Amino acid sequence: MRLTSQTPLPASVQAPGYDRDRQAAGIVHIGIGAFHRAHQAVYTDDAMGAGDRNWGIVGVSLRSGDVAAQLNPQDGLYTVSTRRAAGSELRLIGAVQKVLVAGEDPRAVIDAIAAPTTHIVSLTVTEKGYLRRPDGSLDLAAAVGTSSLYRLVTAGLAARKAAGLRGVTLLSCDNLAGNGAVLRRLMRDYLAAYQSDLSAWFDGECTCPATMIDRIVPATTDADRAAVEAVLGARDEGAVVTEGFSQWVIEDDFAGPRPRWEQVGAELVADVAPYETAKLRMLNGAHSALAYIGLGRGHEFVHQAIADSDICPVIDRLMRDEAAPTIDAAPGQDLAAYADALLGRFANPALHHRLIQIAMDGSQKIPQRWLETLAWHQARGQRCPSLELAIAAWVAFLRSDHPIDDPLADKLREAAAGADVMERLFGDGGLIASDWRPT
Ligand code: CS2
């Protein structure tokens, strides 16, 4: 039996604390993967539970129909399993109302963005989803496809303008340095090329706040779904599994109304940069290093790699001696405590987080996770032994039998095969643009 709004819930499962049928959709979320369902949708569910109404989420998948097939037959409902070393708990999230697939019905997505009740269009499309060229500009040819996020958002905004509606907040929730500014620049590139009559309206009516998003969400497995079914007594194809920790720091720069996320744990701040930089260079930097070094030593999961006494000190130094000194901490931001907490989170034995999941899209992740730190130290004549080891492990990974899931997979494999690999990856005009030069 499939989970639906009719499913009787066991007492141990927390249910949405509001009337789902009476909520308008205030948010269109593009890229409704497991991360969004375990993070922003949970904050939004909490906000509606605390009395903040009409923030239902219309989810959008750009191409794949998988999430729509998981959630739509379940009235948008799904469970989040929070796994701590001490045990796990299950709750039902009601914030998502339905999932649209842009590749199948782009009009429905445009209409959702243009709806008068919509105030926020948020995104988790992963690093590569932004279609950036190495120089940071928009890949204009890639951005014209029918299920391009730029095309959809632009059509939705044009419809809002034509209807005399206000603009929206475009909220990037991806692991990019300066994600808000990146999105604004790419939207402007798109508009300048394809819809310049909307440029001034976009600048005056829409904002792109920066965000730091943090929660570890491993891909859901069949075993996870079976464990949920055993508690729920119904099949949840949309189940997500995550850790207890969750953090969301948002630049307080909204174009219009927004949920009162700050009442349910999010931090609304003037400057996200110190949090975002710490997260990218310490958490994500350590994660990617754990992935390539750990896989090279035969580990499968993050908690196994961090328990390896040869790997743990490398990661510890990466965070404390290499990444932390590059960060201009905000008042009250304690980077040593952050590193301590991260080591604990990585060690969580209840969370089976596969290293191969983190290893994907290295070409898109490594610049903001490792290379900015390396460049900072290089400019000061200093070396980073842990990050250099991580780079060597990435090259070894590219040369190994592991499948390479990366938009540049073929070029990376070819570059890694030669003796001049470092030059081809990181040299002038190399595959990965950065200020760091290997020596
Ligand atoms: C991970 C992130 O897969 C990856 O690359 O480093 O998804 C990480 O788990 C999240 O950013 C944690 O907030």
Side-chain angles (χ1 to χ4, degrees):
M1 209 185 45
R2 195 75 179 266
L3 168 68
T4 67
S5 46
Q6 305 307 313
T7 305
L9 289 185
S12 63
V13 179
Q14 185 191 329
Y18 51 93
D19 184 349
R20 290 188 76 221
D21 297 333
R22 287 166 170 267
Q23 308 305 319
I27 299 172
V28 174
H29 183 81
I30 303 178
I32 180 158
F35 180 80
H36 170 78
R37 273 136 63 204
H39 189 269
Q40 182 185 338
V42 175
Y43 286 89
T44 307
D45 198 68
D46 282 339
M48 286 197 282
D52 202 3
R53 300 295 190 230
N54 300 322
W55 291 109
I57 298 170
V58 174
V60 175
S61 297
L62 289 174
R63 280 172 210 87
S64 162
D66 292 354
V67 179
Q70 289 166 355
L71 296 191
N72 288 340
Q74 301 182 178
D75 304 317
L77 290 167
Y78 63 93
T79 58
V80 173
S81 304
T82 306
R83 300 230 174 119
R84 298 183 175 86
S88 114
E89 73 206 34
L90 203 62
R91 69 180 272 193
L92 190 69
I93 301 297
V96 177
Q97 299 187 337
K98 62 181 168 190
V99 178
L100 306 172
V101 184
E104 291 167 9
D105 190 356
R107 190 72 245 167
V109 179
I110 295 163
D111 289 346
I113 295 170
T117 57
T118 297
H119 300 293
I120 294 171
V121 177
S122 51
L123 300 99
T124 45
V125 294
T126 80
E127 296 86 344
K128 63 176 177 257
Y130 288 83
L131 310 175
R132 278 188 302 173
R133 287 195 291 231
D135 68 357
S137 65
L138 181 64
D139 181 341
L140 290 168
V144 282
T146 33
S147 45
S148 143
L149 82 91
Y150 299 100
R151 188 168 168 156
L152 296 163
V153 169
T154 298
L157 295 180
R160 292 187 78 89
K161 179 174 179 242
L165 293 170
R166 304 303 308 261
V168 296
T169 301
L170 294 180
L171 195 63
S172 167
C173 298
D174 280 293
N175 287 319
L176 298 168
N179 52 13
V182 166
L183 178 59
R184 182 183 309 113
R185 186 249 160 107
L186 296 170
M187 274 301 299
R188 283 181 176 159
D189 285 358
Y190 184 89
L191 295 175
Y194 299 118
Q195 187 125 18
S196 55
D197 59 319
L198 203 62
S199 294
W201 186 87
F202 173 77
D203 284 346
E205 283 286 327
C206 298
T207 61
C208 301
T211 63
M212 183 276 246
I213 43 113
D214 188 10
R215 197 167 205 192
I216 295 174
V217 188
T220 310
T221 63
D222 286 340
D224 295 327
R225 280 183 278 266
V228 170
E229 189 170 359
V231 177
L232 205 59
R235 181 77 180 167
D236 175 9
E237 295 293 349
V240 292
V241 170
T242 188
E243 61 179 335
F245 182 92
S246 182
Q247 193 179 7
W248 196 12
V249 187
I250 310 167
E251 182 187 1
D252 198 356
D253 180 26
F254 283 74
R258 61 165 176 81
R260 289 195 291 273
W261 283 315
E262 73 278 22
Q263 292 192 351
V264 292
E267 297 156 71
L268 273 288
V269 301
D271 183 13
V272 172
Y275 304 95
E276 184 189 68
T277 313
K279 198 262 174 173
L280 289 170
R281 296 183 190 171
M282 292 176 71
L283 187 160
N284 295 115
H287 246 178
S288 289
L290 279 165
Y292 301 121
I293 299 172
L295 287 167
R297 290 175 59 91
H299 298 298
E300 187 179 2
F301 299 111
V302 171
H303 68 276
Q304 295 170 336
I306 200 70
D308 182 327
S309 57
D310 287 331
I311 300 180
C312 189
V314 173
I315 300 302
D316 196 72
R317 278 197 298 270
L318 184 160
M319 293 196 288
R320 294 182 208 274
D321 301 344
E322 299 180 5
T326 71
I327 297 153
D328 218 352
Q333 189 184 16
D334 182 343
L335 297 176
Y338 189 52
D340 292 341
L342 289 174
L343 289 172
R345 291 170 64 194
F346 296 156
N348 183 350
L351 208 59
H352 288 87
H353 195 189
R354 284 201 154 70
L355 297 168
I356 198 77
Q357 183 183 345
I358 302 170
M360 77 183 282
D361 293 342
S363 70
Q364 313 292 304
K365 294 173 174 174
I366 283 171
Q368 60 275 13
R369 295 182 180 202
W370 298 349
L371 304 183
E372 289 178 4
T373 303
L374 281 162
W376 189 94
H377 285 282
Q378 188 165 60
R380 289 160 180 79
Q382 294 157 196
R383 299 200 72 118
C384 297
S386 288
L387 282 173
E388 288 173 32
L389 202 72
I391 297 250
W394 185 45
V395 172
F397 171 80
L398 296 175
R399 289 175 169 164
S400 74
D401 296 336
H402 286 292
I404 298 174
D405 188 344
D406 192 300
L408 300 184
D410 293 341
K411 290 180 179 159
L412 291 171
R413 221 180 267 113
E414 201 191 310
D420 56 349
V421 51
M422 293 302 276
E423 199 51 33
R424 292 180 64 178
L425 291 176
F426 305 109
D428 284 328
L431 288 174
I432 316 289
S434 98
D435 295 333
W436 176 68
R437 288 289 167 271
T439 52

